[in-house]
Each structure stands twice: as C-alpha cells, then as structure tokens.
C-alpha cells in the first residue's frame, strides 16, 4: 500500500522522512524555478487490486481503465521554499510513442492524504523507454515550466 501511495503521491511519503536523512538523487524528481516536481507511475491493474469495488477509485479520471498496459501517471508539485503543495496548477503531459503516436492529456487534480497532485491514465504498450514531457503552469504565473522524465515498463 505504501508503494502505491508513493507512486501516486511521493510528496506525502517524503514529507514524513526525518530531516537528517540525506536525499539521494532521484530520477523522478526535478527542481525547476523553485518548484519541486515529482513523477510517479502505477499500473491500472495495481490500483484496481488495491481498491476492489470502491467508488472512490472507480470515478477517478472517468474510472480505472480495463485491459492491459494502462498506467496512471502522476505529478506532484511542491514549492521548494515553503514545502507547500502547489494547488490549482495546469499540468499537461505528452507521452512520446513512435508506435501509437503521441498521447497528450491534461492531468486532473487528485487529493490523496490531504495533498493535491495531478494525474491521468495513459496506455503504454511497448517495452522501449517512454519520454514523458511535463508542462506546468502555476497559478498566477505566465511562464511554463517544462521537464522530461523517462519510464520503462
């Protein structure tokens, strides 16, 4: 359960870590323009197993997709100076896929453990690494933050 929580909302888990613990480099974390960006992925199948028959997860993003190779991509945003979660951001993700074509979706806000993050489901069929491009517009800021993550099934 903790692994699923981390994949959907790594900020909630890292916020509980003692301050004296050294932070290792994390390929799923970036700091850009004072914004900490955390990337998480969970298969739809694992989410379905964690929440069998519950209404809460069945309505998220229109429901958990049926079938194979669906993944929930999640972005958590934290102000690096204040450690506060960034709410009301506009987050868009593009998954580069040479076989099926690029998928572009707006990530919807999610509240998990009283922390806001952003997510949506994507179908990822191949075993090759995917390039995940994230575009973030924070509330009240016109400049767009762009970063990229890699994901392999």
């Amino acid at each position: 359960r903790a692994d699923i929580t981390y994949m959907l909302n790594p900020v909630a888990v890292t916020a509980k870590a003692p301050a004296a613990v050294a932070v290792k480099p994390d390929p799923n974390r970036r700091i850009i323009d004072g914004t900490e960006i955390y990337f998480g992925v969970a298969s739809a199948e694992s989410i379905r197993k964690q929440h069998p028959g519950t209404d809460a997860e069945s309505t998220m993003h229109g429901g958990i997709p049926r079938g194979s190779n669906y993944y929930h991509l999640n972005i958590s945003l934290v102000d690096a100076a204040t450690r506060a979660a960034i709410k009301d951001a506009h987050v868009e993700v593009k998954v580069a896929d040479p076989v099926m074509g690029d998928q572009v979706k707006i990530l919807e806000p999610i509240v998990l453990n009283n922390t806001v993050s952003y997510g949506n489901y994507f179908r990822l069929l191949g075993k090759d690494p995917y390039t995940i491009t994230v575009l973030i517009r924070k509330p009240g800021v016109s400049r767009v933050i762009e970063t990229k993550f890699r994901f392999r099934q």
Side-chain angles (χ1 to χ4, degrees), residues 11 31 33-38 76-87 138:
V11 176
I31 301 177
D33 291 344
T35 302
E36 291 186 45
I37 305 162
Y38 295 87
S76 298
L77 305 172
V78 176
D79 183 287
T82 66
R83 302 295 306 146
I86 297 173
K87 303 174 184 178
K138 297 189 297 187

Side-chain angles (χ1 to χ4, degrees), residues 10-151:
V11 176
V13 176
T14 58
K16 297 176 185 174
V21 174
V23 177
K24 296 178 184 178
D26 184 348
N28 294 330
R29 176 181 179 254
R30 307 275 189 279
I31 301 177
I32 302 172
D33 291 344
T35 302
E36 291 186 45
I37 305 162
Y38 295 87
F39 171 65
V41 179
S43 71
E45 180 180 352
S46 67
I47 295 171
R48 203 171 11 268
K49 286 179 183 177
Q50 287 290 317
H51 303 280
T54 63
D55 291 334
E57 292 301 322
S58 64
T59 59
M60 182 173 72
H61 316 309
I64 301 170
R66 297 285 175 198
S68 59
N69 300 308
Y70 283 98
Y71 292 83
H72 186 268
L73 276 54
N74 189 81
I75 297 292
S76 298
L77 305 172
V78 176
D79 183 287
T82 66
R83 302 295 306 146
I86 297 173
K87 303 174 184 178
D88 300 323
H90 176 84
V91 182
E92 183 175 307
V93 166
K94 178 176 106 174
V95 177
D97 187 333
V99 176
M100 292 186 57
D102 295 349
Q103 299 176 65
V104 179
K105 293 186 181 183
I106 304 297
L107 300 191
E108 300 170 5
I110 308 165
V111 178
L112 184 64
N113 295 331
N114 296 321
T115 303
V116 174
S117 63
Y118 305 85
N120 213 327
Y121 290 102
F122 291 79
R123 190 153 194 215
L124 307 176
L125 294 173
K127 296 295 182 191
D128 293 330
Y130 287 89
T131 300
I132 314 292
T133 302
V134 182
L135 301 171
I136 301 160
R137 180 168 286 134
K138 297 189 297 187
V141 178
S142 61
R143 185 176 181 282
V144 174
I145 297 171
E146 179 177 336
T147 190
K148 295 182 181 186
F149 295 95
R150 308 258 304 158
F151 172 69

